Amino acid sequence: MPIDWIYGLVGGLLIGFAGVVLLLGNGRIMGASGIIGSLVDQTSGAATRERVAFVFALVLVPALLQIGSPVDTGTMQSTLLLVFAGICVGIGTRMANGCTSGHGVCGISRFSVRGVVATAIYIAAGVLTVLALRLIVGEL
Amino acid sequence: MRILLALLSGGLFGAGLHISGMTDTGKVQGFLDLFGAWDPTLAFVMGGAIVPMAIAWRMVPGRSPLAGGTFASPQEHGLDNKLILGSVLFGVGWGLIGLCPGPAIASLSYGGWRGAVFFIAMLVGMLMAPFMVRRVDEMNARA
Protein backbone atom coordinates (compact mmCIF):
# COMPACT_ATOMS: atom_id res chain seq x y z
CA MET A 1 0.00 0.00 0.00
CA PRO A 2 2.82 2.56 0.46
CA ILE A 3 2.40 3.73 -3.16
CA ASP A 4 -1.00 5.04 -2.05
CA TRP A 5 0.70 7.03 0.66
CA ILE A 6 2.95 8.69 -1.92
CA TYR A 7 -0.06 9.54 -4.11
CA GLY A 8 -1.64 10.89 -0.93
CA LEU A 9 1.36 13.07 -0.21
CA VAL A 10 1.54 14.39 -3.80
CA GLY A 11 -2.21 15.03 -3.92
CA GLY A 12 -2.00 16.64 -0.50
CA LEU A 13 0.73 19.01 -1.70
CA LEU A 14 -1.53 20.03 -4.61
CA ILE A 15 -4.38 20.70 -2.16
CA GLY A 16 -1.94 22.76 -0.08
CA PHE A 17 -0.89 24.76 -3.14
CA ALA A 18 -4.58 25.33 -3.91
CA GLY A 19 -4.87 26.91 -0.47
CA VAL A 20 -1.69 28.94 -1.03
CA VAL A 21 -3.03 30.35 -4.33
CA LEU A 22 -6.30 31.40 -2.71
CA LEU A 23 -4.59 32.88 0.37
CA LEU A 24 -1.66 34.74 -1.19
CA GLY A 25 -3.57 35.52 -4.42
CA ASN A 26 -7.03 36.55 -3.28
CA GLY A 27 -6.47 36.85 0.46
CA ARG A 28 -9.09 34.17 1.10
CA ILE A 29 -9.12 31.06 3.27
CA MET A 30 -9.77 27.90 1.30
CA GLY A 31 -12.60 26.30 3.22
CA ALA A 32 -14.89 24.20 1.06
CA SER A 33 -17.84 24.38 3.48
CA GLY A 34 -17.54 28.16 3.80
CA ILE A 35 -17.30 28.62 0.04
CA ILE A 36 -20.29 26.47 -0.89
CA GLY A 37 -22.23 27.43 2.25
CA SER A 38 -21.96 31.15 1.64
CA LEU A 39 -23.10 30.62 -1.94
CA VAL A 40 -26.16 28.65 -0.92
CA ASP A 41 -27.26 31.03 1.86
CA GLN A 42 -26.21 34.05 -0.21
CA THR A 43 -23.83 35.57 2.30
CA SER A 44 -20.77 35.65 0.04
CA GLY A 45 -21.33 39.23 -1.16
CA ALA A 46 -18.54 40.59 -3.34
CA ALA A 47 -16.77 37.21 -3.33
CA THR A 48 -19.66 35.42 -5.06
CA ARG A 49 -18.15 35.28 -8.55
CA GLU A 50 -14.75 33.98 -7.45
CA ARG A 51 -16.42 31.37 -5.24
CA VAL A 52 -18.55 30.18 -8.15
CA ALA A 53 -15.35 29.95 -10.22
CA PHE A 54 -13.66 27.90 -7.46
CA VAL A 55 -16.59 25.45 -7.27
CA PHE A 56 -16.75 25.20 -11.07
CA ALA A 57 -13.07 24.22 -11.32
CA LEU A 58 -13.40 21.85 -8.36
CA VAL A 59 -16.06 19.92 -10.30
CA LEU A 60 -14.48 20.24 -13.75
CA VAL A 61 -10.96 18.99 -13.02
CA PRO A 62 -11.97 15.72 -11.31
CA ALA A 63 -14.52 15.24 -14.13
CA LEU A 64 -11.66 15.34 -16.65
CA LEU A 65 -9.27 13.23 -14.54
CA GLN A 66 -11.75 10.45 -13.85
CA ILE A 67 -12.08 9.76 -17.58
CA GLY A 68 -8.80 7.87 -17.36
CA SER A 69 -9.26 6.42 -13.89
CA PRO A 70 -12.80 5.95 -12.59
CA VAL A 71 -13.47 6.69 -8.93
CA ASP A 72 -14.65 4.02 -6.50
CA THR A 73 -17.88 5.14 -4.84
CA GLY A 74 -18.69 1.85 -3.11
CA THR A 75 -19.65 3.44 0.21
CA MET A 76 -22.32 5.60 -1.44
CA GLN A 77 -25.07 2.94 -1.62
CA SER A 78 -27.92 3.68 0.76
CA THR A 79 -29.99 6.71 -0.26
CA LEU A 80 -31.29 7.16 3.29
CA LEU A 81 -27.73 7.21 4.62
CA LEU A 82 -26.63 9.65 1.89
CA VAL A 83 -29.40 12.07 2.84
CA PHE A 84 -28.85 11.75 6.60
CA ALA A 85 -25.06 12.05 6.31
CA GLY A 86 -25.33 14.98 3.90
CA ILE A 87 -27.57 16.91 6.30
CA CYS A 88 -25.20 16.17 9.22
CA VAL A 89 -22.20 17.40 7.22
CA GLY A 90 -24.11 20.50 6.09
CA ILE A 91 -25.33 21.55 9.54
CA GLY A 92 -22.12 20.53 11.30
CA THR A 93 -19.63 22.30 9.08
CA ARG A 94 -21.62 25.55 9.09
CA MET A 95 -22.18 25.43 12.84
CA ALA A 96 -18.49 24.74 13.47
CA ASN A 97 -17.50 27.22 10.75
CA GLY A 98 -15.23 24.84 8.90
CA CYS A 99 -14.49 21.38 7.61
CA THR A 100 -11.46 19.31 6.59
CA SER A 101 -10.05 22.04 4.35
CA GLY A 102 -10.88 25.08 6.51
CA HIS A 103 -10.21 23.78 10.03
CA GLY A 104 -7.97 20.91 8.97
CA VAL A 105 -5.63 22.26 6.31
CA CYS A 106 -5.90 26.04 6.75
CA GLY A 107 -6.46 26.03 10.54
CA ILE A 108 -3.83 23.54 11.65
CA SER A 109 -1.20 25.12 9.36
CA ARG A 110 -1.48 28.38 11.28
CA PHE A 111 -1.60 26.57 14.63
CA SER A 112 -5.16 27.73 15.27
CA VAL A 113 -6.57 26.26 18.49
CA ARG A 114 -10.06 26.15 16.96
CA GLY A 115 -8.72 24.34 13.90
CA VAL A 116 -6.81 21.73 15.91
CA VAL A 117 -9.70 21.09 18.33
CA ALA A 118 -12.32 20.89 15.55
CA THR A 119 -10.15 18.46 13.57
CA ALA A 120 -9.55 16.24 16.60
CA ILE A 121 -13.30 16.16 17.32
CA TYR A 122 -14.54 15.42 13.78
CA ILE A 123 -11.94 12.70 13.30
CA ALA A 124 -12.89 11.15 16.67
CA ALA A 125 -16.60 11.35 15.79
CA GLY A 126 -15.86 9.82 12.38
CA VAL A 127 -13.85 6.96 13.93
CA LEU A 128 -16.66 6.17 16.39
CA THR A 129 -19.24 6.35 13.59
CA VAL A 130 -17.31 3.89 11.43
CA LEU A 131 -16.86 1.63 14.45
CA ALA A 132 -20.65 1.75 15.04
CA LEU A 133 -21.27 1.01 11.34
CA ARG A 134 -18.98 -2.01 11.61
CA LEU A 135 -20.79 -3.31 14.67
CA ILE A 136 -24.24 -2.81 13.12
CA VAL A 137 -23.76 -3.84 9.49
CA GLY A 138 -20.60 -5.93 9.87
CA GLU A 139 -17.92 -5.59 7.23
CA LEU A 140 -17.69 -2.22 5.48
CA MET B 1 -7.49 38.14 -11.98
CA ARG B 2 -9.40 37.09 -8.83
CA ILE B 3 -11.58 34.79 -10.93
CA LEU B 4 -8.56 33.20 -12.61
CA LEU B 5 -6.82 32.60 -9.27
CA ALA B 6 -10.01 31.07 -7.87
CA LEU B 7 -10.26 28.79 -10.92
CA LEU B 8 -6.61 27.77 -10.47
CA SER B 9 -7.16 27.08 -6.78
CA GLY B 10 -10.34 25.05 -7.31
CA GLY B 11 -8.66 23.11 -10.11
CA LEU B 12 -5.60 22.31 -7.97
CA PHE B 13 -7.89 21.26 -5.13
CA GLY B 14 -9.82 18.95 -7.47
CA ALA B 15 -6.65 17.47 -8.96
CA GLY B 16 -5.20 16.95 -5.49
CA LEU B 17 -8.34 15.17 -4.30
CA HIS B 18 -8.28 12.88 -7.32
CA ILE B 19 -4.56 12.08 -7.25
CA SER B 20 -4.50 11.52 -3.48
CA GLY B 21 -7.40 9.07 -3.72
CA MET B 22 -9.59 11.23 -1.51
CA THR B 23 -12.39 11.13 -4.08
CA ASP B 24 -12.55 7.42 -3.21
CA THR B 25 -14.93 7.40 -0.26
CA GLY B 26 -13.73 3.94 0.73
CA LYS B 27 -10.23 5.30 1.38
CA VAL B 28 -11.62 8.09 3.55
CA GLN B 29 -13.74 5.63 5.53
CA GLY B 30 -10.65 3.42 5.70
CA PHE B 31 -8.80 6.22 7.50
CA LEU B 32 -11.62 6.44 10.04
CA ASP B 33 -11.68 2.64 10.38
CA LEU B 34 -9.10 2.78 13.14
CA PHE B 35 -10.27 -0.49 14.70
CA GLY B 36 -10.45 -2.32 11.37
CA ALA B 37 -8.35 -2.27 8.20
CA TRP B 38 -6.87 1.17 8.90
CA ASP B 39 -5.71 3.10 5.81
CA PRO B 40 -3.40 5.98 6.82
CA THR B 41 -3.44 7.68 3.37
CA LEU B 42 -5.56 10.61 4.56
CA ALA B 43 -2.90 11.52 7.13
CA PHE B 44 -0.37 11.85 4.30
CA VAL B 45 -2.79 14.04 2.36
CA MET B 46 -3.32 16.29 5.38
CA GLY B 47 0.41 16.45 6.06
CA GLY B 48 1.19 17.23 2.43
CA ALA B 49 -1.39 20.02 2.36
CA ILE B 50 -0.40 21.58 5.66
CA VAL B 51 3.28 22.14 4.73
CA PRO B 52 2.79 24.64 1.85
CA MET B 53 0.01 26.36 3.79
CA ALA B 54 2.21 26.76 6.88
CA ILE B 55 4.83 28.49 4.72
CA ALA B 56 2.17 30.70 3.10
CA TRP B 57 0.81 31.84 6.49
CA ARG B 58 4.32 33.01 7.43
CA MET B 59 4.38 35.17 4.28
CA VAL B 60 1.13 36.96 5.14
CA PRO B 61 2.26 39.55 7.73
CA GLY B 62 3.31 42.85 6.16
CA ARG B 63 2.01 41.98 2.69
CA SER B 64 -1.16 42.34 0.65
CA PRO B 65 -2.79 39.67 -1.50
CA LEU B 66 -1.50 39.58 -5.10
CA ALA B 67 -4.92 40.44 -6.49
CA GLY B 68 -5.31 43.37 -4.08
CA GLY B 69 -7.60 43.86 -1.13
CA THR B 70 -6.79 42.59 2.32
CA PHE B 71 -6.31 39.18 3.86
CA ALA B 72 -9.43 37.65 5.39
CA SER B 73 -8.86 37.31 9.11
CA PRO B 74 -9.79 33.89 10.47
CA GLN B 75 -12.11 33.73 13.46
CA GLU B 76 -10.18 33.30 16.67
CA HIS B 77 -12.78 33.74 19.36
CA GLY B 78 -11.77 30.64 21.26
CA LEU B 79 -13.66 27.43 21.75
CA ASP B 80 -17.41 27.29 22.11
CA ASN B 81 -20.04 24.57 22.06
CA LYS B 82 -20.98 25.41 18.46
CA LEU B 83 -17.48 24.42 17.34
CA ILE B 84 -17.71 21.20 19.34
CA LEU B 85 -21.30 20.21 18.51
CA GLY B 86 -20.84 21.16 14.83
CA SER B 87 -17.65 19.12 14.55
CA VAL B 88 -19.33 16.09 16.15
CA LEU B 89 -22.22 16.30 13.66
CA PHE B 90 -19.80 16.75 10.78
CA GLY B 91 -17.71 13.77 11.90
CA VAL B 92 -20.77 11.51 12.10
CA GLY B 93 -21.87 12.41 8.56
CA TRP B 94 -18.30 12.13 7.27
CA GLY B 95 -17.90 8.66 8.77
CA LEU B 96 -21.22 7.35 7.43
CA ILE B 97 -20.40 7.98 3.76
CA GLY B 98 -16.80 9.17 3.58
CA LEU B 99 -17.58 12.54 2.01
CA CYS B 100 -16.62 15.94 3.42
CA PRO B 101 -17.61 19.21 1.69
CA GLY B 102 -14.65 19.44 -0.76
CA PRO B 103 -15.00 15.92 -2.18
CA ALA B 104 -18.81 16.29 -1.97
CA ILE B 105 -18.58 19.17 -4.45
CA ALA B 106 -16.12 17.22 -6.61
CA SER B 107 -18.36 14.13 -6.44
CA LEU B 108 -20.85 15.91 -8.68
CA SER B 109 -18.48 14.94 -11.49
CA TYR B 110 -18.06 11.26 -10.63
CA GLY B 111 -20.61 10.26 -7.99
CA GLY B 112 -23.57 9.97 -10.36
CA TRP B 113 -26.99 10.60 -8.87
CA ARG B 114 -25.78 9.42 -5.46
CA GLY B 115 -23.18 12.19 -5.38
CA ALA B 116 -25.92 14.67 -6.24
CA VAL B 117 -28.19 13.32 -3.48
CA PHE B 118 -25.45 13.80 -0.87
CA PHE B 119 -24.58 17.24 -2.25
CA ILE B 120 -28.20 18.46 -2.16
CA ALA B 121 -28.71 17.04 1.35
CA MET B 122 -25.54 18.88 2.42
CA LEU B 123 -26.89 22.16 1.00
CA VAL B 124 -30.19 21.59 2.84
CA GLY B 125 -28.19 21.05 6.03
CA MET B 126 -26.27 24.25 5.39
CA LEU B 127 -29.56 26.15 5.02
CA MET B 128 -30.82 24.56 8.27
CA ALA B 129 -27.63 25.49 10.13
CA PRO B 130 -28.60 29.09 11.10
CA PHE B 131 -31.73 27.80 12.90
CA MET B 132 -29.71 25.17 14.74
CA VAL B 133 -27.11 27.79 15.68
CA ARG B 134 -29.88 30.01 17.05
CA ARG B 135 -31.17 27.12 19.19
CA VAL B 136 -27.68 26.59 20.63
CA ASP B 137 -27.34 30.33 21.30
CA GLU B 138 -30.69 30.31 23.13
CA MET B 139 -29.54 27.35 25.22
CA ASN B 140 -26.33 29.19 26.02
CA ALA B 141 -28.25 32.31 27.04
CA ARG B 142 -30.44 30.31 29.43
CA ALA B 143 -27.51 28.45 30.98
Side-chain angles (χ1 to χ4, degrees):
Chain A
M1 294 283 258
I3 188 75
D4 283 11
W5 303 355
I6 294 166
Y7 281 126
L9 201 57
V10 172
L13 281 169
L14 287 181
I15 295 169
F17 284 126
V20 172
V21 167
L22 213 59
L23 180 67
L24 298 183
N26 286 357
R28 301 280 177 187
I29 295 159
M30 188 188 69
S33 59
I35 290 171
I36 194 72
S38 66
L39 286 177
V40 78
D41 64 17
Q42 294 171 358
T43 52
S44 56
T48 300
R49 285 174 61 198
E50 60 196 81
R51 287 181 179 166
V52 170
F54 179 89
V55 170
F56 173 74
L58 176 51
V59 177
L60 181 69
V61 169
L64 298 175
L65 290 174
Q66 64 113 30
I67 293 172
S69 52
V71 170
D72 187 347
T73 53
T75 67
M76 296 162 63
Q77 293 306 325
S78 153
T79 308
L80 188 67
L81 217 53
L82 282 167
V83 170
F84 179 74
I87 290 175
C88 285
V89 169
I91 296 175
T93 53
R94 290 303 270 167
M95 185 181 277
N97 249 307
C99 58
T100 340
S101 47
H103 279 315
V105 175
C106 297
I108 292 178
S109 62
R110 53 181 281 276
F111 308 107
S112 150
V113 175
R114 280 173 61 86
V116 173
V117 169
T119 304
I121 292 174
Y122 63 68
I123 289 180
V127 166
L128 290 175
T129 302
V130 171
L131 180 67
L133 263 185
R134 265 190 171 284
L135 294 174
I136 295 165
V137 300
E139 282 301 300
L140 292 176
Chain B
M1 177 75 168
R2 300 187 70 88
I3 304 284
L4 282 177
L5 288 168
L7 281 170
L8 176 64
S9 175
L12 281 169
F13 193 1
L17 286 176
H18 184 87
I19 291 168
S20 63
M22 292 300 107
T23 47
D24 175 349
T25 49
K27 282 192 84 62
V28 176
Q29 252 188 1
F31 174 76
L32 298 172
D33 195 9
L34 202 58
F35 302 102
W38 189 53
D39 180 343
T41 307
L42 190 142
F44 287 86
V45 182
M46 272 277 201
I50 284 170
V51 172
M53 272 309 289
I55 297 167
W57 281 117
R58 298 186 70 108
M59 293 167 68
V60 164
R63 285 170 210 256
S64 309
L66 282 176
T70 52
F71 286 106
S73 45
Q75 292 186 321
E76 200 54 274
H77 51 248
L79 306 175
D80 52 37
N81 52 6
K82 279 175 281 189
L83 184 86
I84 294 165
L85 185 62
S87 296
V88 169
L89 267 177
F90 166 38
V92 169
W94 191 37
L96 286 175
I97 298 291
L99 282 174
C100 52
I105 298 169
S107 80
L108 289 174
S109 70
Y110 60 83
W113 65 268
R114 293 192 171 91
V117 165
F118 184 92
F119 181 77
I120 291 166
M122 182 176 84
L123 297 191
V124 170
M126 285 175 164
L127 287 172
M128 287 161 67
F131 301 99
M132 306 293 285
V133 167
R134 217 169 300 148
R135 293 292 298 274
V136 176
D137 283 337
E138 285 166 12
M139 269 167 45
N140 288 343
R142 257 180 278 136

